[in-house]
Amino acid sequence: MKALTQHTSRGIILTLSALLALTAGADEVPPWWPARVQVFNPACTDGTAACVNDPRNSANRLEQAYYEPLMPAAVTGKHHLCVSFPHLNEDSYWLAAAYGIIEEGRRLGQKITLVEAGGYGNLSKQLAQIDTCATGGAEAVLLGAISSDGNAPQVDALRAQGVKVVDLINGTNNAVDAKSVESYFSMGYMACSWVAERHPAGTPTVRIGWYPGPYGAGWSLGGDQGCRAAVEGSAAEIVDTRWGDTSIEAQRELVEAGLNAYPDLAYIVGTSPTAESAIAVLRDRGMTDRVKIVVYYYTQSVHELIAQGQVAMAPTDQVILQARIAVDQAVRLLEGKPMATGGRPQLTDLGRLAEHVQPLPVAVTPQTLQAFDTTTTLAPAGWKPVFSIE
């Protein structure tokens, strides 16, 4: 999902066999728990993106709980977890996800194989990488799906073979064993409702250019539904929607085309690369002071642009927490342990273990930036995975 797509098709395999001695234990990793999460409606345990993005599961309707992960002493074995991302290099969003995966793998003493497909156009490559993981002995797959429909048959096949599947970040349109997936209906809704609240019905109409990302990805489709729901009945009108790959080059072309067709746009709302592209385009056209930019997820570049006052608002899905929870879910599945949410009844039984949780989305603006806890969303400055090939 999101942010810069790697400009090459080279797949990189990151292998981590991270055993953390119990004597070092959690003391070396600042506790990220208990994490405030939202728990999806029990009807959402089918694992479909349609359920994930259902308006009934919007952020303001979900029940809240606290997620408590396993402690290393409670883990009985070292398991091989395969983690598949759409892309990784030059992408602070997926880099943060990798950080969460790797650090939680270290904390729980697991073996992690992380593969990235090189971009959203490389579904066949992602499928092949996952097949290689499965034949290489992976016991669970943590999947950031390129396509909510295109990845589904392989997910079914993996589960039929006894491989556990945890749906991570992007969403897939079929049943899985557990989900750590934010509702991108909620994310799109949060971003566009911020605009709509400033332009209620009866005030002068303002025009929005909307750039949700690649068509067909579960996250972008959900974001589109949420944004449209948010502006309904307001004076904010989406007049231009342009789908496309999340590279700087692709998004710049879309923004240019949008402004050519609608030079009176008041808002540009979209992905992180949309914002980066729009800033340059608006500057070149002398329109910086006329058009506000809103992003519907959070990256390092968005963080910096908010600090500079160039992005007006962005919600964060706290991707590092999502990644950490997904690792914990996978280990629980493999060891037959129940999912963990504190202070509420279990939504699933030991036979299914398909609970779906998401961290609370948080809106960030220049005014709230100083109070924002970046450790839930951004990898530490200068952090880089250690790459090796087994």
Side-chain angles (χ1 to χ4, degrees):
M1 178 180 64
K2 309 102 178 169
L4 304 180
T5 301
Q6 173 65 6
H7 302 305
T8 72
S9 61
R10 179 175 59 93
I12 297 176
I13 297 179
L14 167 62
T15 301
L16 168 68
S17 298
L19 288 175
L20 187 63
L22 294 181
T23 54
D27 291 342
E28 293 189 3
V29 180
W32 57 268
W33 59 86
R36 291 181 65 196
V37 297
Q38 293 170 316
V39 185
F40 275 64
N41 188 295
C44 202
T45 54
D46 62 0
T48 63
C51 181
V52 172
N53 297 316
D54 191 309
R56 291 171 298 178
N57 280 325
S58 60
N60 63 338
R61 298 185 183 183
L62 294 178
E63 192 169 359
Q64 293 188 20
Y66 287 93
Y67 195 94
E68 295 275 0
L70 294 168
M71 294 297 107
V75 177
T76 61
K78 171 184 169 184
H79 304 284
H80 184 187
L81 313 182
C82 176
V83 183
S84 176
F85 289 169
H87 57 98
L88 182 58
N89 273 7
E90 301 180 17
D91 181 348
S92 64
Y93 183 93
W94 287 105
L95 183 70
Y99 172 79
I101 291 287
I102 289 172
E103 290 306 306
E104 195 62 13
R106 285 195 177 120
R107 192 182 72 83
L108 294 180
Q110 302 302 299
K111 175 181 179 181
I112 307 288
T113 300
L114 174 63
V115 296
E116 62 92 7
Y120 276 96
N122 296 334
L123 174 60
S124 60
K125 185 167 191 174
Q126 184 177 49
L127 297 175
Q129 289 175 333
I130 293 171
D131 280 340
T132 299
C133 270
T135 58
E139 301 165 73
V141 172
L142 284 61
L143 174 63
I146 283 178
S147 168
S148 54
D149 289 320
N151 287 92
Q154 186 183 59
V155 169
D156 291 338
L158 288 168
R159 296 183 73 223
Q161 297 164 17
V163 177
K164 303 297 184 183
V165 178
V166 177
D167 195 2
L168 173 62
I169 297 172
N170 278 1
T172 181
N173 275 349
N174 56 337
V176 293
D177 295 289
K179 298 178 75 68
S180 182
V181 176
E182 198 84 20
S183 165
Y184 266 78
F185 182 99
S186 296
M187 299 293 285
Y189 191 94
M190 286 183 70
C192 292
S193 64
W194 185 88
V195 177
E197 287 166 4
R198 283 152 180 77
H199 303 279
T203 61
T205 299
V206 295
R207 291 183 158 190
I208 298 173
W210 169 231
Y211 306 87
Y215 189 81
W219 64 273
S220 55
L221 294 174
D224 182 59
Q225 294 169 10
C227 181
R228 293 182 187 282
V231 300
E232 187 174 348
S234 75
E237 179 185 5
I238 300 173
V239 296
D240 190 46
T241 301
R242 297 180 188 268
W243 301 85
D245 188 63
T246 49
S247 67
I248 292 290
E249 291 84 354
Q251 290 297 308
R252 182 178 181 116
E253 290 178 6
L254 297 180
V255 171
E256 291 272 13
L259 287 171
N260 288 341
Y262 298 93
D264 60 343
L265 290 180
Y267 290 89
I268 289 174
V269 185
T271 70
S272 173
T274 306
E276 295 178 71
S277 303
I279 287 168
V281 173
L282 293 173
R283 182 180 60 243
D284 292 346
R285 297 184 179 214
M287 300 175 66
T288 299
D289 295 333
R290 289 172 41 196
V291 183
K292 289 185 173 62
I293 299 171
V294 176
V295 182
Y296 77 108
Y297 61 85
Y298 212 88
T299 66
Q300 180 66 47
S301 62
V302 169
H303 183 72
E304 294 166 3
L305 294 173
I306 289 176
Q308 296 164 11
Q310 297 190 81
V311 166
M313 179 271 190
T316 172
D317 58 353
Q318 304 193 82
V319 62
I320 291 175
L321 290 185
Q322 283 187 77
R324 288 185 181 275
I325 288 170
V327 172
D328 184 74
Q329 287 175 324
V331 175
R332 289 175 180 274
L333 286 163
L334 294 171
E335 301 206 347
K337 294 179 169 63
M339 293 296 166
T341 53
R344 56 164 294 111
Q346 286 295 122
L347 294 185
T348 58
D349 57 44
L350 290 175
R352 295 190 66 187
L353 292 176
E355 190 167 11
H356 174 188
V357 301
Q358 67 176 25
L360 268 69
V362 176
V364 184
T365 68
Q367 292 72 38
T368 64
L369 187 66
Q370 292 303 313
F372 171 47
D373 178 9
T374 61
T375 64
T376 68
T377 302
L378 304 176
W383 184 84
K384 294 183 182 299
V386 176
F387 292 93
S388 63
I389 298 177
E390 285 187 329

